[in-house]
Amino acid sequence: MGLLHLILNFVALLLWVHWRMGLPPQQASPKRSTGARVLQFLLRKALASISLILLTVVLLGRGWFYFAVAPDLSWQPHLDMVSFSLGEFQEWSLPFDRNVLEKQLAFSIVSFLPWLVVYNFCLVLLSVLRPDLKEAEGWNRFLRQQLGWLDWLPAVLKIPIAFLLASCLFYASAAWMQRLEILTLVTNVELAHFAGDNAAVHLRHVAWFSMGLIVLYLFSNYVYFGGQNFWKCIEATGKSLLWVLQLLPLRWRKVDFAPLLGLALAFGVSVLLVPERMGWFYHRLAG
């Protein structure tokens, strides 16, 4: 059941991506009337919404499936979450009653949220590092479709607003779990701390994603792939990611050590973003 749950989360994420992409606009014929153009627009929007409908079916349908099947398989749905700003570091393994349909629906929806948050965190990083290349037009269009209005904001605002939105999602899910008596937090302040903590923990996935970008950048520098647009975008994105390190004297003959230092720094950040260390650092700052 655990593997099935993982696969369904991946399917749900693909449906989200497809919904955000929508359908490409078609060239309107000048001979068509205004009514025909409006009808064509509404039809394209309706077809693009099919993925959103399927996403809803997947999330609600698997909740009902868990309610019907989990008791017979002795499978206990649970969700692992953390808290490090409520006095001490805590790991929460929140159980969802197998015999209550509403709790199984909550588990199905809430367990998908971390996937959505991590995906959008990585997109925001790509949006900040946006390559200014003609070959990257398709890449940039994809980012605009996925992030919407967030992609149009200045780079300095994208990361904090993305973090705030993620915290709001975790706050809403925590309040829902509190109402279902799954979570035992009491005040709104505790819920806000809990939401912010779990949003912050998922930033370590962005560090891992950065390491992947740097590895691809290394490949693009030392292996010739035929000048494809993808590798040109990777090269430009890698340079943006490492632009501070490029200012340092890290070149020896034809070898550039900036990507290796970037990998080490990204790995160090991922280690520091482990919940226990984040709790220690938070309490030192709080005094």
Side-chain angles (χ1 to χ4, degrees):
M1 289 293 290
L3 178 60
L4 176 63
H5 183 70
L6 183 70
I7 293 173
L8 289 176
N9 271 333
F10 182 68
V11 171
L13 182 61
L14 291 179
L15 290 171
W16 174 273
V17 173
H18 188 267
W19 170 63
R20 294 297 299 166
M21 288 180 65
L23 293 179
Q26 298 179 355
Q27 193 69 26
S29 173
K31 297 181 179 180
R32 290 189 176 183
S33 64
T34 302
R37 295 178 183 177
V38 171
L39 182 61
Q40 183 186 32
F41 173 78
L42 293 177
L43 181 60
R44 287 194 291 108
K45 287 295 183 182
L47 292 175
S49 300
I50 292 177
S51 295
L52 182 60
I53 296 172
L54 290 176
L55 172 62
T56 305
V57 169
V58 168
L59 294 181
L60 297 182
R62 75 172 178 178
W64 175 86
F65 177 75
Y66 293 161
F67 169 73
V69 173
D72 297 331
L73 297 179
S74 299
W75 180 61
Q76 177 60 61
H78 69 280
L79 192 62
D80 295 326
M81 306 189 86
V82 300
S83 175
F84 53 80
S85 62
L86 295 175
E88 61 181 9
F89 170 73
Q90 299 180 61
E91 286 186 284
W92 305 71
S93 183
L94 304 175
F96 291 73
D97 193 339
R98 296 173 295 183
N99 299 310
V100 180
L101 178 58
E102 186 176 3
K103 291 186 178 181
Q104 291 306 300
L105 292 175
F107 171 71
S108 178
I109 295 172
V110 172
S111 62
F112 172 63
L113 293 183
W115 287 65
L116 194 59
V117 166
V118 170
Y119 172 69
N120 281 281
F121 277 172
C122 294
L123 288 183
V124 168
L125 175 64
L126 290 176
S127 180
V128 171
L129 302 174
R130 179 189 307 278
D132 187 16
L133 296 173
K134 180 180 180 182
E135 293 83 359
E137 179 55 35
W139 187 314
N140 294 331
R141 182 169 60 251
F142 176 78
L143 291 175
R144 288 193 295 268
Q145 291 170 335
Q146 296 297 307
L147 293 174
W149 59 269
L150 188 59
D151 184 59
W152 296 100
L153 294 177
V156 70
L157 295 178
K158 290 178 183 178
I159 294 177
I161 290 181
F163 181 81
L164 178 62
L165 292 175
S167 299
C168 290
L169 276 180
F170 281 114
Y171 182 89
S173 64
W176 189 12
M177 290 187 290
Q178 182 188 43
R179 188 180 68 81
L180 295 174
E181 299 180 349
I182 299 170
L183 195 61
T184 56
L185 300 176
V186 179
T187 66
N188 289 332
V189 174
E190 290 179 332
L191 287 176
H193 277 283
F194 181 81
D197 292 347
N198 284 278
V201 163
H202 288 88
L203 289 173
R204 59 181 169 175
H205 295 89
V206 181
W208 297 341
F209 182 67
S210 300
M211 293 171 65
L213 287 176
I214 295 173
V215 169
L216 290 175
Y217 174 70
L218 277 170
F219 277 125
S220 70
N221 278 348
Y222 296 103
V223 180
Y224 180 67
F225 291 99
Q228 297 178 1
N229 289 347
F230 173 78
W231 293 106
K232 291 181 180 179
C233 295
I234 287 293
E235 183 177 1
T237 302
K239 288 180 179 179
S240 298
L241 184 60
L242 300 170
W243 72 271
V244 174
L245 300 181
Q246 299 286 356
L247 301 177
L248 302 176
L250 296 173
R251 297 188 68 93
W252 181 71
R253 296 185 179 179
K254 294 184 178 181
V255 180
D256 185 6
F257 291 97
L260 297 179
L261 180 57
L263 276 176
L265 291 175
F267 178 76
V269 170
S270 69
V271 171
L272 291 175
L273 291 179
V274 171
E276 296 91 333
R277 293 185 179 88
M278 293 181 72
W280 178 88
F281 187 67
Y282 174 84
H283 292 298
R284 291 298 181 278
L285 287 179

